[in-house]
Amino acid sequence: MRWLRFCVAALACAAAANAQSLTGRWEARMYQVDEGRKMVLALTQQAGAVTGYMQQPNSTAVAILDGKVAGNTLTFAVERPGRGARGAAASTTPPAPVRTEYSAVLQGDKLVMTMPSGPGGGGGTPAAPPAGTAAAPPGGRGTAAAGPGRGPGGPPGGRGMMNPMEFSRVSTAAPGALPAPAARVTLTSYTPVPYNGLAKTPPMGWNSWNKFQGAVNDANVRGMADAMASNGMKAAGYVYVNIDDTWEADRDAKGMIRSNSKFPDMKALSDYVHSKGLKLGIYSGPGPFTCAGYAGSFNHEEQDAKQYAAWGIDYLKYDWCSGGTVYANDPGNPSKALPMTEQAAYAKMGEALYKSGRKILFSLCEYGDNDVGTWGAKVGGNVWRTTGDISDRWESMVNIGFGQQVGREKFAGPGHWNDPDMLEIGNGGMTTEEYRTHMSLWCLLSAALLAGNDLRDMKPEILEILTNKEAIAVDQDKLGKQAVRVSPPVPADEAATISAKEGRSTTGGDLQVFARPLADGGRAVGLFNLSAATAKVTAKWSDIGIKGSHKVRDLWAHADRGAFTDSFSADVPSHGVVMIKIAK
Ligand code: GLA
């Protein structure tokens, strides 16, 4: 009898759920830090079919496709324009749209939607990630960064989005048609921004993203500053403590940007970081919102630059992300910005920083899409990303470091540097040997050295890698000449591709030698072995442009190896490096 009563009740509930039409406007809080941003589902249900649209703040609404209700479960899909491959791997063929499947369950009067991982998921912010991750090449726009966490060992914060998202119905009226997208802005020119005098050598410091993503806050930033000031990193040259995405709140009534509850007092934080003899960095972008969907600087560039100056900010990373939702895209490839429009959008902030009354290092992040090396310095940039997001995997580091940097040497020099993305050293996804390779290559490439691990909790061998003064001296060499790959030589047909796309898109073989001249007349050379077994790697003097007998010092063993004529060979472990300095 009890059993029968239960069945009747359950059936009645299911029937009621079925009977309750989902028609109306539903809204859900988007972020773990509540900034009042809402995701909207505008639904019209007719029998088992659902139509309408999904809209995230400041983003173009996307139509609901194949919407169905079965029992108390709603399923649907949306399609967003694909972003295609980034940087060197980009093609001129417009990328295919990316489809994301969603499912939500009606629980009482709430629709509870579990965000899919990957495209359109926890990282599926209104910005690029929803559309880009699936199409990105390995080492391209971080698949690892797209989900709510960052793979095993990732922070709980992810991009800081709620998962699941709980929608409440705010109206039962049938929503209107899909809102038309706003007209895009085209910019046709800009005045070059004067050099700010910073980054005479590549910037060094720490950035929150690789380890913390949405979990960055005032306390852990202070912790990083404490660690950096006392663990030998500051002494080795690290100075910037950079907050990446997810610090932003909405703007006040006057349009001034505010920090969210994770950062209660940005000025006090900068005072604290400065009191340690360090500098504080922050993050924004030219679009209306950042890659994680927080407020961007679109139409607020001057206000933001002034606010950063007032807070005592010393470094700005400026990330394109939603730029393509407000600025004109290339009609031939909607995943790419129109080149002049993009440059001018960056120049707006470059100019604003220049006039802000404070020296603020300007870091461009447009993933190497639009030949950034040719104009980065003109818009005031001191450093510019050349690729999609790195992740803490050997393949990602190789794809970015060996696969997409060769050919960009001509754009680097004092004041303006290529940026193959932040370091993953110490985040746990590579071996110590592989991290040494990562550090050596970044130093040879004159890359920004921004540690991306938890500095408060690091194994001695990781600290040793990050603070190898002899390797750092190569990165920070005053001549500022980025290393070229001298062996194997770049084949002629690839050289043609390099001039068209700035960088190579293949990794160039198992055994590679990179070399750069140094201010004291010496040479820094990396002998790399990307293969699965120990191998002998040789640096030939003729490849490096030197002759005769030269003294060689091993920069990881910290040992002089004697004088060598014509070449230097070493047995290099699998995935490892021997990094040497050849004296004048
Ligand atoms: C993009 C950038 C990353 C990081 C995130 C933050 O993916 O390339 O380096 O700044 O945005 O959302």
Side-chain angles (χ1 to χ4, degrees):
M1 190 59 205
R2 244 224 215 126
W3 172 84
L4 189 63
R5 225 182 290 139
F6 172 77
C7 280
V8 169
L11 282 174
C13 279
N18 255 333
Q20 186 184 344
S21 164
L22 296 181
T23 295
R25 183 182 169 93
W26 299 76
E27 291 183 355
R29 170 177 155 188
M30 278 187 76
Y31 290 102
Q32 288 154 15
V33 174
D34 189 3
E35 302 309 338
R37 275 156 200 257
K38 302 268 195 266
M39 184 185 280
V40 172
L41 286 177
L43 306 178
T44 302
Q45 181 177 347
Q46 277 167 333
V50 172
T51 53
Y53 59 88
M54 175 184 210
Q55 185 157 33
Q56 295 164 314
N58 298 326
S59 134
T60 310
V62 281
I64 281 176
L65 308 172
D66 303 326
K68 288 184 193 70
V69 183
N72 56 359
T73 301
L74 164 70
T75 53
F76 64 93
V78 302
E79 277 184 5
R80 302 178 174 93
R83 279 184 64 104
R86 322 304 296 168
S91 94
T92 45
T93 321
V98 174
R99 185 180 166 103
T100 309
E101 311 279 342
Y102 292 91
S103 124
V105 177
L106 190 63
Q107 292 178 4
D109 58 354
K110 307 280 188 215
L111 247 184
V112 180
M113 188 158 88
T114 305
M115 301 304 283
S117 63
T125 62
T133 45
R141 252 188 112 60
T143 31
R150 207 173 178 251
R159 286 190 188 255
M161 291 177 81
M162 299 292 287
N163 195 8
M165 274 188 204
E166 198 178 88
F167 289 81
S168 305
R169 189 171 354 215
V170 294
S171 148
T172 50
L178 188 71
R184 302 274 165 84
V185 179
T186 300
L187 305 173
T188 52
S189 68
Y190 64 95
T191 309
V193 179
Y195 173 47
N196 58 13
L198 299 174
K200 290 265 165 58
T201 61
M204 291 177 64
W206 174 87
N207 173 293
S208 58
W209 188 254
N210 284 355
K211 177 70 188 176
F212 290 92
Q213 295 193 273
V216 64
N217 59 31
D218 180 281
N220 51 38
V221 169
R222 283 173 195 249
M224 289 319 133
D226 293 345
M228 195 188 281
S230 59
N231 68 6
M233 288 183 75
K234 180 180 163 193
Y238 292 85
V239 64
Y240 291 101
V241 179
N242 292 348
I243 305 164
D244 206 279
D245 206 350
T246 80
W247 64 267
E248 312 86 340
D250 279 344
R251 295 174 182 281
D252 71 13
K254 292 194 177 124
M256 293 302 274
I257 189 72
R258 295 173 298 180
S259 53
N260 61 42
S261 54
K262 295 191 297 172
F263 291 92
D265 187 342
M266 215 41 114
K267 178 70 173 71
L269 179 58
S270 93
D271 287 346
Y272 183 79
V273 171
H274 293 151
S275 77
K276 302 267 160 188
L278 302 171
K279 294 177 186 292
L280 186 66
I282 214 163
Y283 168 99
S284 187
F289 45 95
T290 66
C291 287
Y294 292 74
S297 294
F298 182 59
N299 285 338
H300 293 276
E301 294 82 0
E302 279 182 32
Q303 277 182 313
D304 286 1
K306 286 198 178 120
Q307 182 62 77
Y308 303 151
W311 281 338
I313 299 294
D314 305 293
Y315 189 119
L316 174 68
K317 172 173 167 185
Y318 207 48
D319 196 343
W320 183 251
C321 257
S322 72
T325 66
V326 287
Y327 287 114
N329 288 325
D330 186 339
N333 184 351
S335 71
K336 262 180 128 170
L338 212 51
M340 178 51 70
T341 294
E342 185 184 308
Q343 290 180 40
Y346 272 98
K348 277 205 241 177
M349 183 52 94
E351 176 86 8
L353 293 176
Y354 189 74
K355 293 184 172 157
S356 71
R358 189 172 174 90
K359 293 261 186 215
I360 300 179
L361 195 151
F362 192 27
S363 157
L364 319 183
C365 181
E366 59 81 82
Y367 335 112
D369 277 357
N370 266 325
D371 291 338
V372 61
T374 61
W375 53 266
K378 255 195 273 179
V379 302
N382 297 108
V383 58
W384 46 78
R385 272 276 291 281
T386 53
T387 70
D389 292 9
I390 196 167
S391 64
D392 186 21
R393 291 177 299 119
W394 167 251
E395 294 73 21
S396 167
M397 191 277 289
V398 167
N399 188 287
I400 285 183
F402 292 93
Q404 300 182 50
Q405 305 308 314
V406 172
R408 297 178 192 273
E409 308 87 17
K410 53 188 173 290
F411 304 116
H416 50 91
W417 309 98
N418 293 309
D419 172 11
D421 208 354
M422 302 164 299
L423 300 171
E424 290 282 12
I425 296 166
N427 279 332
M430 290 184 240
T431 63
T432 305
E433 201 64 57
E434 292 169 344
Y435 284 140
R436 207 173 286 129
T437 296
H438 184 6
M439 180 77 177
S440 304
L441 184 59
W442 263 235
C443 288
L444 284 158
L445 293 174
S446 308
L449 296 178
L450 295 175
N453 58 324
D454 189 340
L455 308 180
R456 300 166 302 185
D457 172 26
M458 176 169 33
K459 294 194 180 122
E461 62 269 25
I462 296 300
L463 182 61
E464 200 185 311
I465 293 173
L466 287 172
T467 55
N468 177 347
K469 289 189 184 160
E470 294 196 75
I472 291 172
V474 172
D475 182 73
Q476 297 291 301
D477 185 73
K478 297 277 179 294
L479 197 58
K481 284 264 185 227
Q482 177 175 330
V484 298
R485 198 187 73 197
V486 296
S487 173
V490 180
D493 57 336
E494 274 184 22
T497 325
I498 286 172
S499 50
K501 289 184 183 168
E502 282 193 29
R504 293 174 65 255
S505 58
T506 53
T507 47
D510 278 349
L511 309 182
Q512 303 192 25
V513 179
F514 280 71
R516 59 181 284 184
L518 300 172
D520 66 2
R523 298 280 199 281
V525 177
L527 293 84
F528 294 97
N529 174 11
L530 311 190
S531 81
T534 299
K536 185 170 163 185
V537 185
T538 300
K540 286 196 217 144
W541 282 192
S542 57
D543 288 342
I544 300 169
I546 56 174
K547 287 193 171 106
S549 170
H550 294 266
K551 284 186 185 155
V552 168
R553 182 169 170 80
D554 185 318
L555 304 184
W556 285 106
H558 307 295
D560 293 328
R561 297 297 189 208
F564 290 79
T565 307
D566 296 339
S567 67
F568 174 84
S569 298
D571 287 331
V572 183
S574 162
H575 293 190
V577 63
V578 168
M579 190 180 184
I580 56 170
K581 181 172 172 185
I582 305 175
K584 192 177 165 187

